[in-house]
Amino acid sequence: MKRIGSFMILMILIAAAIFTLFPIYMGLLNSFKTEGAMMNNILSLPTHLEVGNYIGAFHKTNFVRSLGNTVYIASVGLLGIIICASMAGYKLSRTPGKLSAFIFLLFVMSTLIPFHSIMITLTKISKALSVQGSTTGLGLIYIGTGVAFAIFLYHGFVKSIPRDLDEAAVIDGCGEFRLYVVIIFPLLLPITATIAILNLLWIWNDFLLPLLMLTNYKTYTLLLSTNMLFGQYGNNDWSAILSALILAMLPVVLFYLLLQKYIMKGIADGAIKG
Amino acid sequence: MTTKRKKTVILLAFVFPALLFYAVFVLAPAFGGAWYSLTNWNGLNRTYRMVGLANYIEALTADPFFLKSVGFTLKYVVFMVVLQNAIALLLAVLVESRRRSKVWFRTIFFMPNMISLIIGGFMWLFIFTKVLPYIAEHTVFSFLDKSWIGDPAYSFFAIVIVSLWGGVGYLMVIYIASLQGVPQHLKEAAAMDGANAFKTFRYVTLPMIYPALTIGIFLTLNGSFKAFDAVYSLTGGGPGRSTQVIALNIFEEAFKSSNRYGYANAKAMILFLVVFLITLIQLWLMKRREVES
């Protein structure tokens, strides 16, 4: 009885795994076929590896430049979020009183504001500040939109660091800012890793904000370049498009397979503390 | 300087950088949007005037496409909240019950979450428009021959399927973490008392993971009201605006079709109010039960 149950469970899991991998597998398979070979038999293995699709997609999406833009935007955003949020979260958590409670509430409030509610006016403000159109500008916007959740996580984490440490350092003549840099920030590393992972995933996969902010194709992210390619072909030339889709998912899938333990831990921690 | 004042100055110095970015890119657009939603500004002219709640009234009574998108989104939210949490919890329980293969299954189920739904949606578009018709024609699975993207009745499910494909893994990871926190001895005690697997789950495990359910439902509720990527890449809102979600309706109102900047902002505020109220009610209801159980 127990064995039958276990076998059933295994079958359900295998079916779910096949469903999950099916689109990726089908895309991979057909990205190596010419349009003709694909139409002939969409399910078969390719008879020879047609790499022309990949070469074309690599050039048309400006893969290297798009990847560089994405990495740059994510770096600016991530660095800013970590610096600003760790400072604010630490001090808000350590300072009792009405003012800090009010500021904290102001930040927390934003987790309930959907991005779509602010995006229209955000584009206007970004244009007025000349932030629109530049990759650095987009990174700065990510700091603004991502900082609140990070503060929330830092705020909770700081409570687990004993106050005696601060006091001992101050008695030894350590200034406020040095205390934060030398003593507190290193102790925040575990939660910083979680915050870095959560924000990297979000910024990397975000589509709407780059779509609204980046006006020149030279500044396009990987997602925007891929989307633009799709616009050019409609959905008629699948063999050209599939290779571009596979290329676009390659960096995240590699990143995931290398660091999956930390990614899953980051997500679980973020949800439980959030 | 008194110590109290000094403390305030230091606090503000530490908070300032975060507050600056937050104020410029979140608070200002939020308050600005709320203000413009009460005006008839077209987004370009120097002059505009206050029109009170006229934009809101128009959106909620005289805009068939907006109302349709609200209805479509509500239907989508209900499907997603129920299915995504049920499937994620089921997968979490099943994966946790395997000893050797659990790492494999967890890795596979989470993978789509790493891929943007823009890319994933295009991938699925290929499945729906090319692969499934091929399979229907050349195998016994002829029931797959549906107009998945062209027929509103099926494109709703196409969007749900793709959203589930992309979103279930995230919740599964949260539920797995929560399940691992349930003490083994409690389950063993229940088994000793003669409870079967289902009863053990219902009366021992489920109450223990209730906080995770609160988070899971909050995340799906909050996330599916904002659905955009999957719809954008799969159907673009079509055919004939039949799959237009609220976010897409706002996007098109603001950046594509009209010059009605104030009106677009009113729709954005309606979305905010709906998400805000519903998630608040959900958290309140579930937190209350958490304390009781």
Side-chain angles (χ1 to χ4, degrees):
Chain A
M1 186 58 202
K2 202 157 188 192
R3 214 177 255 172
I4 298 172
S6 169
F7 180 74
M8 290 270 287
I9 289 174
L10 186 64
M11 285 300 118
I12 296 173
L13 286 172
I14 289 175
I18 291 174
F19 173 82
T20 308
L21 293 176
F22 185 64
I24 302 171
Y25 172 71
M26 273 292 129
L28 198 61
L29 206 63
N30 287 292
S31 67
F32 286 109
K33 295 179 195 167
T34 59
E35 188 79 8
M38 192 182 90
M39 283 303 130
N40 209 10
N41 190 345
I42 217 159
L43 301 175
S44 71
L45 286 167
T47 46
H48 72 285
L49 290 186
E50 174 66 44
V51 288
N53 291 333
Y54 278 91
I55 297 169
F58 192 83
H59 287 299
K60 279 176 198 145
T61 59
N62 271 303
F63 188 76
V64 177
R65 190 176 64 200
S66 306
L67 186 68
N69 287 337
T70 315
V71 170
Y72 176 72
I73 293 165
S75 309
V76 173
L78 223 52
L79 213 65
I81 289 172
I82 288 169
I83 293 171
C84 295
S86 61
M87 283 171 65
Y90 154 65
K91 214 60 203 171
L92 284 171
S93 186
R94 279 287 196 259
T95 321
K98 275 188 189 144
L99 179 67
S100 76
F102 171 74
I103 296 174
F104 184 60
L105 193 72
L106 202 63
F107 281 118
V108 171
M109 209 176 70
S110 83
T111 41
L112 289 172
I113 305 177
F115 172 72
H116 305 93
S117 301
I118 63 167
M119 69 177 175
I120 308 171
T121 318
L122 179 61
T123 24
K124 270 255 140 56
I125 288 174
S126 309
K127 217 179 254 172
L129 294 173
S130 315
V131 171
Q132 202 184 30
S134 91
T135 45
T136 310
L138 182 54
L140 298 181
I141 296 175
Y142 279 121
I143 301 176
T145 42
V147 85
F149 182 59
I151 287 178
F152 189 52
L153 292 180
Y154 276 122
H155 188 272
F157 189 84
V158 166
K159 286 179 198 149
S160 67
I161 300 175
R163 271 168 179 272
D164 308 355
L165 270 177
D166 304 29
E167 282 153 18
V170 171
I171 289 169
D172 288 347
C174 188
E176 285 285 346
F177 190 68
R178 234 186 91 195
L179 167 72
Y180 157 76
V181 175
V182 181
I183 297 174
I184 301 297
F185 190 76
L187 292 171
L188 295 177
L189 274 182
I191 195 75
T192 302
T194 297
I195 289 169
I197 284 170
L198 291 177
N199 283 290
L200 182 65
L201 291 186
W202 159 58
I203 297 175
W204 194 278
N205 285 330
D206 189 34
F207 175 70
L208 191 50
L209 196 47
L211 183 70
L212 296 176
M213 292 300 159
L214 301 176
T215 40
N216 185 329
Y217 70 94
K218 284 185 181 152
T219 60
Y220 275 11
T221 60
L222 214 47
L223 280 185
L224 283 186
S225 305
T226 314
N227 176 56
M228 189 185 65
L229 188 69
F230 205 90
Q232 273 171 12
Y233 291 115
N235 43 23
N236 296 316
D237 192 0
W238 276 107
S239 68
I241 289 163
L242 287 173
S243 47
L245 296 179
I246 297 285
L247 271 182
M249 61 170 83
L250 209 59
V252 276
V253 171
L254 285 179
F255 173 75
Y256 171 56
L257 293 177
L258 283 174
L259 295 174
Q260 52 159 315
K261 225 170 77 186
Y262 304 96
I263 294 171
M264 291 196 192
K265 194 185 167 304
I267 284 167
D269 286 355
I272 289 161
K273 285 171 188 124
Chain B
M1 209 160 27
T2 60
T3 30
K4 199 177 170 212
R5 174 171 280 174
K6 200 179 151 202
K7 274 210 160 129
T8 308
V9 172
I10 292 170
L11 171 70
L12 290 177
F14 271 80
V15 170
F16 180 74
L19 208 52
L20 176 72
F21 285 109
Y22 180 64
V24 173
F25 296 124
V26 178
L27 289 183
F31 286 110
W35 167 260
Y36 288 124
S37 73
L38 303 170
T39 71
N40 69 348
W41 196 30
N42 64 6
L44 300 166
N45 283 10
R46 279 177 182 280
T47 56
Y48 57 84
R49 63 186 169 80
M50 300 294 291
V51 292
L53 293 176
N55 289 327
Y56 290 84
I57 293 166
E58 183 182 344
L60 292 173
T61 58
D63 188 334
F65 290 125
F66 182 67
L67 288 178
K68 218 173 155 186
S69 75
V70 172
F72 184 83
T73 308
L74 285 174
K75 190 170 134 194
Y76 171 81
V77 168
V78 171
F79 270 81
M80 287 303 290
V81 168
V82 174
L83 290 177
Q84 193 151 338
N85 285 287
I87 296 172
L89 188 54
L90 180 71
L91 285 182
V93 171
L94 296 187
V95 166
E96 270 302 287
S97 76
R98 310 299 306 174
R99 219 165 307 145
R100 265 167 302 173
S101 54
K102 74 172 161 197
V103 177
W104 280 96
F105 284 119
R106 211 176 50 189
T107 306
I108 292 172
F109 295 144
F110 186 77
M111 180 132 42
N113 213 282
M114 297 295 297
I115 301 163
S116 157
L117 268 187
I118 289 290
I119 304 292
F122 285 140
M123 218 73 172
W124 272 99
L125 185 62
F126 174 66
I127 302 293
F128 285 127
T129 56
K130 298 288 167 188
V131 179
L132 291 188
Y134 183 91
I135 293 177
E137 197 181 324
H138 292 87
T139 65
V140 291
F141 302 107
S142 52
F143 66 93
L144 291 171
D145 193 15
K146 301 273 186 316
S147 176
W148 288 99
I149 302 303
D151 183 338
Y154 295 109
S155 46
F156 173 78
F157 288 103
I159 292 167
V160 169
I161 288 170
V162 176
S163 309
L164 288 174
W165 175 82
V168 155
Y170 197 92
L171 288 184
M172 181 199 67
V173 168
I174 293 173
Y175 287 139
I176 285 178
S178 171
L179 285 170
Q180 284 167 346
V182 179
Q184 197 60 38
H185 68 86
L186 280 183
K187 287 189 242 172
E188 278 160 15
M192 293 272 258
D193 290 344
N196 60 25
F198 179 76
K199 277 198 166 155
T200 309
F201 179 77
R202 171 70 187 81
Y203 294 106
V204 178
T205 312
L206 205 57
M208 295 288 288
I209 61 165
Y210 205 80
L213 275 176
T214 307
I215 296 162
I217 294 177
F218 170 77
L219 288 175
T220 31
L221 209 51
N222 209 357
S224 26
F225 266 112
K226 298 187 264 183
F228 181 88
D229 291 8
V231 181
Y232 178 92
S233 58
L234 262 184
T235 66
R241 299 215 208 188
S242 60
T243 60
Q244 202 177 55
V245 280
I246 301 177
L248 198 60
N249 183 282
I250 293 173
F251 175 79
E252 298 205 330
E253 183 76 62
F255 304 109
K256 291 257 175 77
S257 52
S258 75
N259 287 324
R260 303 186 61 194
Y261 187 80
Y263 184 54
N265 269 306
K267 289 181 175 183
M269 286 303 130
I270 292 172
L271 175 67
F272 163 66
L273 289 174
V274 170
V275 175
F276 184 78
L277 282 178
I278 291 185
T279 45
L280 224 55
I281 291 170
Q282 182 252 334
L283 285 179
W284 180 70
L285 282 176
M286 291 195 72
K287 285 278 178 200
R288 217 176 44 164
R289 261 199 76 181
E290 245 175 59
V291 180
E292 279 169 18
S293 59

